[in-house]
Amino acid sequence: MANHNSLADWLSHHLFACPVKAYFGFDCPGCGFQRSVISLFKGNIAESFRFYPATMPILFLAVFAIIHLSMDVKTGASIIKIAYAGIAIIILINYIYKISTHQLIS
Amino acid sequence: MSEEQDNSHEHKPIDLSKNESSTEPPVNPGFSAPPPFQQPPPFGQFQGGFGMGQQNLPNATAALVLGIIALPACCFYGIFGIVFGIIAWILGAGDVKKYHQNPGLYSESSYKNAKAGKICGMIATILSVLFIGIIILFVVGALTHPQAYDNFFKGFH
């Protein structure tokens, strides 16, 4: 458990800086993803969702795509399509919500 | 590049059959008839009940993987997203076309993968274009109307 926590701490001090935020000063549609993944590592699902709502669907899509490509699930392609479109919609809604609540510049 | 070669290879049997059906002598006598199947089917690949010569479309997996990678790549200015998205779109569309030219030759699952890759590429391209538009809009807005930009993003205090 201690090892787990220290890994999350180490990760939280070694995040990649978003180039859009560094140069233009506002968040991009992917900002919050790394913080969200770290919260998920710590087991804090609510905080993970608050940082970036699309994290769990994205991780699901990545894992499912690997399973589908290696084992050839029968309805895998349509599941990937639906999940992909859903993630795109979640990202768009999240970004519009961030703009409308003035969270883009922090 | 490789796609064009594949396509030209694909067209040959079709053109030949047209020539034979119209009962005309072939125009170029040096042109020998190619074998109907490009490769023998690998051992152990008997999926479904129809046809032993079913092979996977060449770019289906690549299109799907690139299409999925294109989604997180949208965040790097949208440039990588647009590049990966368009490549996935082109590869997927090319394979879908190839499948429709010769449906018996390729496996159904790889056709579905190619179609999914094409759609993922389209979505990623649209998202990237939207995001690039937003960047341009914001930067231009910040340069021309700084006060309105501050009010819009930071809220009225």
Side-chain angles (χ1 to χ4, degrees):
Chain A
M1 195 62 194
N3 199 7
H4 200 83
N5 272 336
S6 66
L7 175 67
D9 284 343
W10 184 86
L11 275 176
S12 65
H13 291 296
H14 294 79
L15 296 179
F16 293 110
C18 173
V20 174
K21 199 167 186 170
Y23 286 108
F24 298 122
F26 56 84
D27 282 13
C28 80
C31 278
F33 180 72
Q34 296 178 90
R35 283 170 282 166
S36 176
V37 169
I38 287 170
S39 314
L40 202 60
F41 276 167
K42 289 176 179 167
N44 199 339
I45 293 175
E47 201 182 57
S48 164
F49 188 82
R50 199 161 49 79
F51 275 133
Y52 198 65
T55 304
M56 280 175 282
I58 285 176
L59 293 180
F60 163 77
L61 178 69
V63 171
F64 184 78
I66 293 170
I67 292 173
H68 171 65
L69 286 177
S70 56
M71 290 169 59
D72 199 12
V73 186
K74 203 168 187 185
T75 54
S78 45
I79 291 176
I80 286 177
K81 267 186 280 185
I82 293 167
Y84 201 91
I87 289 169
I89 291 169
I90 291 173
I91 289 175
L92 265 182
I93 291 175
N94 179 42
Y95 201 58
I96 293 169
Y97 174 78
K98 266 179 154 178
I99 292 176
S100 63
T101 53
H102 308 295
Q103 293 177 13
L104 222 54
I105 294 178
S106 52
Chain B
M1 198 63 178
S2 65
E3 208 184 358
E4 287 176 9
Q5 288 172 354
D6 285 349
N7 273 335
S8 66
H9 206 76
E10 273 305 312
H11 285 304
K12 278 173 190 171
I14 296 170
D15 291 340
L16 190 75
S17 66
K18 274 179 191 169
N19 280 344
E20 282 176 355
S21 64
S22 59
T23 64
E24 282 176 299
V27 184
N28 44 353
F31 183 75
S32 62
F37 289 107
Q38 298 171 344
Q39 290 171 353
F43 276 122
Q45 201 181 1
F46 300 102
Q47 28 178 306
F50 41 97
M52 283 169 52
Q54 288 208 326
Q55 54 188 12
N56 290 329
L57 283 159
N59 294 323
T61 307
L64 192 58
V65 169
L66 275 176
I68 291 173
I69 289 175
L71 189 61
C74 287
C75 303
F76 292 90
Y77 304 114
I79 303 267
F80 293 100
I82 212 168
V83 169
F84 286 154
I86 286 177
I87 292 174
W89 189 349
I90 291 171
L91 289 181
D95 270 9
V96 166
K97 203 192 279 178
K98 205 178 279 184
Y99 178 82
H100 282 305
Q101 280 174 357
N102 219 338
L105 190 57
Y106 300 108
S107 61
E108 180 95 24
S109 65
S110 70
Y111 168 64
K112 283 180 183 166
N113 281 353
K115 223 164 134 185
K118 179 183 156 192
I119 289 169
C120 292
M122 282 160 86
I123 294 174
T125 310
I126 293 168
L127 269 185
S128 302
V129 168
L130 275 180
F131 181 47
I132 290 173
I134 283 176
I135 288 182
I136 294 171
L137 198 70
F138 285 177
V139 171
V140 169
L143 291 177
T144 54
H145 303 288
Q147 190 60 47
Y149 179 85
D150 276 1
N151 285 340
F152 182 70
F153 281 113
K154 295 176 182 168
F156 298 98
H157 294 297

